[in-house]
Amino acid sequence: MTNVKFESKEYPGTFAFDRIFDWQTTQQQVFDYAAGAVIEDVMRGYNGTIFAYGQTGSGKTHTMMGDMESDEWKGLTPRLVETIFSTIFNAPSNLEFTVKVSYMEVYMEKIRDLLNPVNDNLPIHEDKKKGVYVKGLLEVFVGSVEEVYDVMRRGQGARIVASTNMNAESSRSHSIFMMQISLKNLVDGSSRTGKLYLVDLAGSEKVGKTGAAGQTLEEAKMINRSLSALGMVINALTDGKSSHVPYRDSKLTRILQESLGGNSRTTLIINCSPSSFNETETISTLRFGMRAKTIKNKAKINAELSPAELKNLLKKAKHDISQLQVYISSLENEAKIWRAGSSVPKSDWVPALNVSGLIGESATASPSASNGNLPAAASASALPPHIKELIDGGRSSTPQPPISQDERDAFLQRENELGDQLAEAQAALRSVQAKVDVLTEELNFLKGRGGESGEENKTLQGTLAELRVELEKVAFENKESTITIESLKDANGELLKEVETLKKQVVDAQASAQAATPVEDTAASKTSAEEKEWRKREKMEQMMAEFDPSGFMTDKEKQIRETMIKLAHMKENLQPPSTPEEIASQHVALIEAKTQLAQQDQTIDELGHKINSIQDEANTFKKKKEEQEKKIAALEAEYQELLDKTIRDEEVQGGPQLSKTIQDIKSRLEAQFNSKRETQLKEILELKEILAKRENELGLLQVNFSAAQKSNEELKSSLSAIKDSANPTNEVSQKDEELEKMRKTMAQQLGEFDAMKKKLMRDLQNRCEKVVELEISLDETRDQYNNILRNSNSRAQQQKMAFLERNLEQLTNVQKQLVEQNSTLKKEFSVAERKMAARNERIQNLESLLHDTQTKLELQNQKFEAQLASMREKLQEARSGNPQASSWLYSSRIAKPLRGGGANPTAGEDEDVASEDNDAFNKRQSWYVSLLKK
Ligand SMILES: Nc1ncnc2c1ncn2[C@@H]1O[C@H](COP(=O)(O)OP(=O)(O)OP(=O)(O)O)[C@@H](O)[C@H]1O
């Protein structure tokens, strides 16, 4: 099957290839078709390439490498290795082989040696002898399939793979496994070298499908970029127009330069996904394959001529030269004739030399070579460049600029040098970058720590500054307070002195006053309030004793009540006297009633007197009150006058501040005085009202009294009437009625009188109280007045003293306040000091902690530096190929020549390498070891 039909809307067409493998194809079948011819070519000295191209996850690695451990699933590379070795072992015994392998990957546009991954940025060189090659790539000599497998395993272990949505183990790089098979004909000394490149390209991928992100996304971008560079190279090689092929656009195309349109037999395997999901990618892959298929390579055998061949070539060249010399001399002769102005007939002209035939004969090198027979190849330096090129293997893959060969060589050399420098610079850059990374990390860590400690430090500094300010403030305030206290102490001292003086004066004045007025009574020792209370109580008792209702008032009442009862009895017993005894008893009762009436009259008279006396008393009180009011007014005027005078004096003496204080005091005194005055006026008004009320009541009482007198008169007249008509029986009922009437009137009057009496008693008590209070206040005022009169001589002095005392009191208060403030400040200061001490301690602790941390960090840093240095040393050792460090790398560089004929490798086997002849038993004799033996 060579065609694949594509039934899609996008590309409903057919793609034709050399061979199409369906999904059922085995690894062996692929190998049989794709690798058989390649092995043959490589063994004959051609360069061969097999590379797999396709979408990610389409099976490139499966095809190229497969499962090495499984006979069924192992891919092309293991099968190729096995076949190459079996070919070697089956080759004629006169052929000696050496096999070198190298394994590299192009990752992120850097060539990484998979067998020595330390070398991860190797430069690409090109020279006329070796062609394009990777400089510094480790080439391992191998002598068996197993050794190659070991190498492959080692390389695969170092490959960079990652998991994507499309492939669990997606190759993130292009891997190139290279086998160089050199064979030497031990008979004629000729040799050939075939290079086999097995390339597993990284998969082209759509980022959206693979879900690549971060590093994988960067890798994907690089992979796609190098694959598009590959596409560009293939386009340039196949469009027939491009004069320039952009091999240098990517590392991949540069490495595969020989394989793409150069000296290589190349097989391209296109891997496609069978899923319609990947239709677009499959079409693009197939198109790539179609284009690549049209590339025409110019494969040449990489051969070195044997001495015999060289001898023949020399002989031939000499012959050619002599022919040419003859030809030249005949041309010179003809030219001489022409120069002399003569002419040479056309028939005598020197015939044209068949140069191409001459050269073609000497330079043709047949690419078809059978086993053991190397083709002849021209290699004389005298030959034209294109012949030399053919002999060298023809680097046709490198674009040939219109420059001379020397210039080209110089250019390549320069390019190589620059490539080396670039690689070195990149390596240096990377090491610097790594260092920078480490240092950045360290810096970040330190910055973090620094930031933290900086923050802490800032906070501490802030606190410290605050505390300093606080301390300064406290110290300042304390200083200020001390100063104020000192000044106050001074002022206080002065005031105390003044007070002392004044006290003395007061004592003197009091002594003189006491001498003038003796002590009035024992109550003087009591406080004024107590004394006042006591006096009030005493006066009240005295006054109320006169109006005690438990006295005669009760007796009179009793009498009235008894009369009432008797009257009631009289009513009951008011029967017309039937016997002379009854008439006599009625007469007695009438006499008694008469007596009682007389007594009642007396009582009423007494009450009238009492009322009069109360009225008189009230009048007296009224008068007294008026007098008192007058006195108070006079005292007020006098007091005002005195006060004004004193204030004026003080103002003159004390200045504005004093006048202010005096004004204050004055206003306060005025306020006090006004309020007192108002209260007194109120009281007076109240008293007036009460008095008016009492007068009204008294009027009423007098009306009632007169009514009572009138009824008494009536009672008397009715009594006399009763006396006059004591005998007639028919008048009993009339008398009875009159008696009843009288009794009712009396009871009513008695009730009224009772209520009035109670009311009067209450009023009397209130009035007494008021009177007592007024008396007391009058006494006090009198005392004050007397005092004022007594002390009128030293009033100004007293006023001043009082003023000074007040001032002193105020100053004492201020001093007290200041002392309190001072003590508070002292307390605050001591607290602040304690706080400061505590904070200082904390700062010291933190500083020491910081110091410790810094020391620790320095130690850690030193430790880290030492570790880094030792690691660098180790790395340097590994790079410089320290045999102890990399024994495998060292041993792998020893050539392991193989000889055809099925024998084992002979490296290091002294007894086997002794003989130089072509003995059949010594087919594996190493020419290298033989040379050493010589
Ligand atoms: N023909 C096949 N038969 C069986 N398994 C296969 C076949 N082709 C691919 N696979 C399996 O598919 C998976 C992906 O294949 P593989 O890794 O070879 O893809 P790839 O093209 O190399 O991908 P990438 O470009 O991402 O590296 C692997 O597990 C592989 O074994």
Side-chain angles (χ1 to χ4, degrees), residues 188-448:
D188 61 12
S190 64
S191 63
R192 291 173 289 178
T193 302
K195 281 183 188 173
L196 176 62
Y197 293 90
L198 299 165
V199 186
D200 175 14
L201 293 174
S204 59
E205 60 185 68
K206 276 199 171 165
V207 174
K209 272 188 180 177
T210 54
Q215 179 67 7
T216 318
L217 179 64
E218 290 304 310
E219 289 167 358
K221 283 181 188 167
M222 275 297 184
I223 291 165
N224 289 344
R225 199 182 296 172
S226 62
L227 286 174
S228 72
L230 181 64
M232 297 302 284
V233 165
I234 287 168
N235 280 348
L237 286 169
T238 54
D239 64 5
K241 290 178 278 181
S242 306
S243 57
H244 169 69
V245 183
Y247 290 116
R248 285 179 169 82
D249 277 8
S250 81
K251 292 271 165 70
L252 176 73
T253 49
R254 184 83 173 117
I255 295 167
L256 295 178
Q257 188 171 326
E258 297 283 0
S259 310
L260 301 164
N263 178 23
S264 174
R265 295 261 169 112
T266 301
T267 301
L268 174 63
I269 297 171
I270 297 294
N271 289 72
C272 294
S273 160
S275 166
S276 59
F277 175 68
N278 299 318
E279 184 185 309
T280 321
E281 289 87 347
T282 304
I283 289 169
S284 128
T285 307
L286 291 169
R287 278 184 181 149
F288 177 89
M290 288 283 280
R291 265 196 166 278
K293 193 173 174 294
T294 58
I295 299 172
K296 295 279 176 266
N297 280 9
K298 287 160 248 173
K300 302 286 174 193
I301 290 173
N302 306 314
E304 279 184 23
L305 300 177
S306 67
E309 284 170 330
L310 285 170
K311 267 180 199 168
N312 287 337
L313 206 63
L314 191 64
K315 205 173 154 189
K316 185 87 180 152
K318 275 179 182 171
H319 176 255
D320 286 348
I321 289 164
S322 64
Q323 267 193 330
L324 285 170
Q325 275 174 347
V326 171
Y327 180 64
I328 289 164
S329 60
S330 49
L331 278 175
E332 278 175 349
N333 289 337
E334 192 184 318
K336 263 182 199 168
I337 296 166
W338 284 104
R339 278 178 199 147
S342 317
S343 63
V344 181
K346 202 172 181 178
S347 56
D348 292 339
W349 284 4
V350 178
L353 184 70
N354 187 2
V355 180
S356 64
L358 182 76
I359 295 163
E361 193 190 345
S362 62
T364 303
S366 166
S368 59
S370 59
N371 283 349
N373 296 318
L374 292 177
S379 167
S381 59
L383 293 177
H386 68 279
I387 297 170
K388 269 171 62 186
E389 191 184 292
L390 284 171
I391 293 165
D392 289 346
R395 315 271 165 244
S396 56
S397 55
T398 304
Q400 298 291 328
I403 53 169
S404 70
Q405 186 62 37
D406 289 344
E407 279 176 329
R408 187 172 175 275
D409 288 347
F411 167 74
L412 284 175
Q413 202 176 339
R414 183 72 191 132
E415 189 193 19
N416 292 342
E417 281 171 13
L418 287 171
D420 286 349
Q421 281 175 14
L422 190 69
E424 276 171 27
Q426 279 177 339
L429 191 72
R430 254 181 315 119
S431 74
V432 168
Q433 188 62 48
K435 240 186 214 178
V436 167
D437 287 347
V438 170
L439 288 171
T440 313
E441 208 176 309
E442 206 175 314
L443 195 70
N444 286 338
F445 173 73
L446 288 172
K447 263 185 191 170

Side-chain angles (χ1 to χ4, degrees), residues 538-552:
E538 202 176 45
K539 284 203 173 208
M540 277 293 286
E541 275 169 11
Q542 274 176 7
M543 202 172 275
M544 290 310 287
E546 290 172 29
F547 304 107
D548 192 359
S550 59
F552 71 92

Side-chain angles (χ1 to χ4, degrees), residues 70-141:
S70 157
D71 278 343
E72 191 187 349
W73 293 106
K74 62 183 150 196
L76 281 177
T77 310
R79 286 174 200 273
L80 273 162
V81 171
E82 283 172 12
T83 312
I84 285 167
F85 272 94
S86 72
T87 310
I88 288 170
F89 294 147
N90 292 321
S93 58
N94 64 323
L95 294 180
E96 189 180 68
F97 295 86
T98 47
V99 182
K100 282 195 286 190
V101 290
S102 53
Y103 204 1
M104 64 182 135
E105 70 175 355
V106 181
Y107 174 68
M108 301 286 279
E109 270 308 280
K110 284 193 185 91
I111 299 165
R112 191 158 162 264
D113 193 341
L114 288 172
L115 302 181
N116 188 17
V118 178
N119 291 337
D120 57 358
N121 189 21
L122 295 168
I124 299 170
H125 278 210
E126 182 180 355
D127 64 31
K128 62 179 178 181
K129 200 179 169 203
K130 292 169 80 176
V132 180
Y133 66 97
V134 177
K135 196 190 169 193
L137 185 68
L138 182 67
E139 292 179 322
V140 178
F141 285 97

Side-chain angles (χ1 to χ4, degrees), residues 22-23 25 27 54-63 73 159 161-162 164 166-173 200-205 271:
D22 65 18
W23 62 276
T25 315
Q27 294 276 42
Q55 184 194 356
T56 183
S58 56
K60 298 182 292 296
T61 310
H62 174 78
T63 307
W73 293 106
R159 271 202 80 179
V161 288
T164 69
M166 302 287 284
N167 189 3
E169 267 210 344
S170 178
S171 317
R172 310 314 292 167
S173 62
D200 175 14
L201 293 174
S204 59
E205 60 185 68
N271 289 72

